[in-house]
Amino acid sequence: MATTDPSGLDIDVSDLSSERAAAWFRQTPVRRDFSRLDDADFGTWPDGFELAGRWLGLRAYHRGCYRGAIAARIHRDGTADVLPPSCHGRFDPQLATALLEHAATQLGVRRVQLAISYLPIDATAIHACARSVRFQRTGDLLVLTRSVGGDDVSPQLGDWTFEPCALGERDDLPAVLQRTLIGSRDFPNLPQVGSIQAMLERFAEVGLGDDRMWYLARYRRNLAGCLLMTARGDCQIGELLYFGLVPEYRGRGGGRCMVRYALDTAGDRGLPAVIAGVDAENDPAIAIYASMGFDPVSRRGVFFRRLATGGDVSPYAT
C-alpha cells in the first residue's frame, strides 16, 4: 500500500510476517550509528536480528528516489515498538518527523493503542522530532548484562523456591503478575493498555518464545512473585524479561534470589550471559542487579504516544 503526504513524500507501507520482515530489513538501508547523525554510515540489519512476530514497515520515496525508512513491531497487547527513523544520506529532521508521524498513523489504523520508541540517549535531534509529533518521554531504559559462571557471591535461595508456570498451564500466573505490578517503579508513568493475559502473550513473543523458562516464586510455600525469562535467538543469551514480587513479600531478599535463579537457569541451558532492562530511576532494582554482578551496557530514552483506537488523528491520515 502506498500513501502520499503533503510534502510530496510517497510512503510504501508493508504489513510483514517474521519471514517477510527478514527480507524487508535485508533490502532496506538503515543507519548503524544513531549517535552520529551527520555521518552517512549505512548498512543492512544483521541476519540474526530478532524478527519474530508481526511487523509494519514503511519506506519513504521522493520523486522515485529512496529517502528513508521506519519499522515497528506490533504486539498482541495493543502496543508497538517503533524503531528509530532512518534517513538515507544526512539526517533530515523533516523526513524523520514525517516517518514517525506516518508510523503512528498506520499503527493507529491497525488498532494499536500505544506506540513506544527506545531512542539512543545521545540522539537529541531524533528526540526533538519525536516530541514534535506528540511522543512523550517517560524515562530511560538501562540495559545491563552479566556473564554466567565465574566468581559468585550470590545468595543461597533459602526459603525461596521456584516452580515452572508456562503460559496457559497455570491459572494463578496472571493474578500473581497483576499483584506484582502494584507500586512498580518501572516506568510508572507509561500508560498500561491491554489485559494481563495480553501482556503475558507479548512476553511470550520475545526471543525464542520459550515460556518453559517462566517460574512462580514461593516464599515458605506462599506465592510471592514471578520470574519470566527467555533465550534470544539473535545472540544466544538469556534475557530476564520480568521479575516482580507481590507487596507483602518485598524486602525479604526475594529479588536477589530471583536473579540468582535466573543465572542458574541460564547456566543449566548453556547460555553464556543474561541481559536485562530496567527503568534507570528504579534504584532498588538497579541495586539488586549491581549486587549480582551486572554491568550497564547501554541506555535509551523511552518515548511513547497514545493512539486512537482504529486510527490516529493525523494530518497524514488516509
Side-chain angles (χ1 to χ4, degrees), residues 148 213 229-231 236-239 265-273:
V148 174
M213 299 169 71
M229 296 181 62
T230 190
Q236 287 299 309
I237 64 173
E239 180 172 357
T265 299
D268 291 343
R269 291 176 176 264
L271 300 171

Side-chain angles (χ1 to χ4, degrees), residues 32-97:
R32 293 194 187 102
D33 184 357
F34 287 95
S35 65
R36 300 176 60 192
L37 298 179
D38 59 345
D39 182 9
D41 176 21
F42 290 89
T44 56
W45 290 88
D47 290 338
F49 185 71
E50 200 70 65
L51 289 173
R54 177 186 171 198
W55 285 83
L56 176 70
L58 292 85
R59 295 188 184 119
Y61 299 86
H62 186 255
R63 296 179 179 177
C65 296
Y66 173 75
R67 294 291 311 282
I70 194 168
R73 183 178 178 183
I74 300 174
H75 300 290
R76 298 179 186 178
D77 64 351
T79 66
D81 296 331
V82 182
L83 299 183
S86 180
C87 304
H88 185 55
R90 291 186 178 275
F91 178 70
D92 181 342
Q94 183 177 1
L95 173 61
T97 300

Side-chain angles (χ1 to χ4, degrees), residues 72-274:
R73 183 178 178 183
I74 300 174
H75 300 290
R76 298 179 186 178
D77 64 351
T79 66
D81 296 331
V82 182
L83 299 183
S86 180
C87 304
H88 185 55
R90 291 186 178 275
F91 178 70
D92 181 342
Q94 183 177 1
L95 173 61
T97 300
L99 286 168
L100 284 164
E101 182 61 54
H102 277 289
T105 298
Q106 294 297 330
L107 289 170
V109 169
R110 287 154 181 79
R111 307 194 69 81
V112 171
Q113 300 173 57
L114 188 71
I116 306 172
S117 192
Y118 302 90
L119 301 179
I121 197 72
D122 296 328
T124 55
I126 296 183
H127 296 183
C129 294
R131 289 191 177 98
S132 72
V133 288
R134 291 177 283 154
F135 278 82
Q136 304 174 51
R137 188 170 184 172
T138 188
D140 292 350
L141 177 72
L142 187 65
V143 180
L144 309 101
T145 188
R146 201 204 109 151
S147 59
V148 174
D151 295 335
D152 205 334
V153 293
S154 301
Q156 298 298 314
L157 297 181
D159 292 321
W160 292 88
T161 57
F162 297 86
E163 56 193 55
C165 61
L167 185 63
E169 292 184 1
R170 294 290 299 262
D171 294 336
D172 41 9
L173 174 58
V176 172
L177 174 59
Q178 178 77 68
R179 294 189 61 216
T180 67
L181 296 174
I182 298 172
S184 171
R185 297 182 63 172
D186 259 344
F187 304 105
N189 296 321
L190 187 66
Q192 297 297 314
V193 300
S195 65
I196 287 294
Q197 184 64 31
M199 182 179 180
L200 287 167
E201 291 174 355
R202 174 165 60 85
F203 282 137
E205 294 174 344
V206 179
L208 300 180
D210 187 358
D211 60 4
R212 291 172 298 174
M213 299 169 71
W214 291 15
Y215 303 93
L216 287 172
R218 290 185 181 271
Y219 180 74
R220 296 178 179 174
R221 300 185 180 181
N222 299 308
L223 280 176
C226 58
L227 165 66
L228 310 179
M229 296 181 62
T230 190
R232 294 195 65 93
D234 51 358
C235 44
Q236 287 299 309
I237 64 173
E239 180 172 357
L240 209 169
L241 299 170
Y242 179 84
F243 77 88
L245 294 162
V246 300
E248 60 267 34
Y249 288 105
R250 293 170 186 166
R252 306 184 191 216
R256 295 186 73 214
C257 287
M258 284 186 168
V259 176
R260 164 75 273 155
Y261 196 78
L263 292 168
D264 289 344
T265 299
D268 291 343
R269 291 176 176 264
L271 300 171
V274 172

